[in-house]
Amino acid sequence: MPHRIAVLDFETTGMAPGEGARATELGLVLLEGGRVVERFQSLMRSGAWVSPFITQLTGITQAMVDAAPPAAEVMREAARLVQGVPLVAHNAAFDRKFWQHELALAGLAAPQPFVCTVLLARRLYPQAGSHSLGNLATYLQLPATGRAHRALADAEMAAALLTRIQHDLRTRWSVAQPDFGTLQQLQRLARPAVQRWLLRQAAGEGAGAGADEAVDAAEKMSKSRT
């Protein structure tokens, strides 16, 4: 049975919990074998002030947040849904901070590892220019998912991007198993090391000298064509 991956997105009142920002909305998409098997979305009431700028950007008003379920209740439900499931986000450094902060306020741990689709896209699609979610969606011709800067629409777009990344790893770069662990390896690579890593994956990582010889031969062939 394919492993599940959860893709999440937060809308917030600011850039960082350390600056007093709180989450206003959470969207989650659970993927299994590249298919969406579950969705979750909720506004969150934390008592935080929603500025006019945030309302203009997201469409989320103070009244909407004030009428929402308590933030701790939303986070408990989200944690239940993704229990034991690794997480993905676009610009994960941002969403991870809010995930950890809001869970801590709800009295819950945040053990899940994260993969970042920004880091993956920078390594696989350097020619895309901007690696914002909207630009990548246009560049890769991903289907529209709804208004940008709403949590579920952005989570669904990031899920579509993740699925495309995994598809391209299989079909363009012959990576047999682009699972979560493989994605973790890829996002940690320095950009100059990406091509050789992809060639090693295609040749069969762990095949020892045979893999190295295959990579060397592929690199020589690539150079001879340029």
Side-chain angles (χ1 to χ4, degrees), residues 28-109:
L28 275 169
V29 176
L30 271 72
L31 296 172
E32 190 172 290
R35 294 186 307 108
V36 176
V37 295
E38 194 163 357
R39 294 175 174 88
F40 173 79
Q41 177 274 334
S42 183
L43 292 161
M44 304 167 62
R45 185 176 80 247
S46 66
W49 176 62
V50 180
S51 71
F53 170 78
I54 293 297
T55 295
Q56 183 178 19
L57 179 68
T58 67
I60 297 172
T61 66
Q62 187 72 57
M64 291 166 63
V65 170
D66 290 345
E73 179 183 312
V74 174
M75 294 306 298
R76 282 192 288 269
E77 176 62 14
R80 183 190 68 78
L81 287 171
V82 303
Q83 185 175 8
V85 179
L87 299 178
V88 173
H90 197 72
N91 191 15
F94 174 87
D95 291 283
R96 185 194 299 115
K97 288 185 291 188
F98 283 94
W99 177 253
Q100 294 171 341
H101 182 71
E102 295 293 345
L103 281 178
L105 291 175
L108 298 171

